[in-house]
Amino acid sequence: MRNDHVTLRSTAVFDLLAPRTPAVPVKVELRYDTRDPYAVVAAFRTGRAGWVEWVFARDL
């Protein structure tokens, strides 16, 4: 049986904004996997502790 799924990944640096403070850069990896075609995962780097993952509906 063939395994035809595809995972797309893209990394970026977002700016975390808060009132009256300088922007804080946050490394983010966005992932889309054809095995779950209605979701996109955003993994945010949290320093040395690792990553925090949020799952969003693809149509957002």
Side-chain angles (χ1 to χ4, degrees):
M1 180 172 234
R2 291 177 43 171
N3 185 0
D4 289 336
H5 86 274
V6 174
T7 301
L8 302 174
R9 297 174 186 262
S10 181
T11 58
V13 177
F14 291 177
D15 284 335
L16 177 63
L17 304 175
R20 298 178 294 284
T21 61
V24 176
V26 177
K27 185 175 180 182
V28 180
E29 179 184 84
L30 300 171
R31 289 191 314 266
Y32 170 78
D33 191 320
T34 57
R35 290 178 290 194
D36 188 1
Y38 300 108
V40 174
V41 176
F44 300 91
R45 182 74 177 159
T46 59
R48 294 183 183 179
W51 296 83
V52 173
E53 291 188 354
W54 290 2
V55 180
F56 296 94
R58 186 184 72 188
D59 60 351
L60 284 177

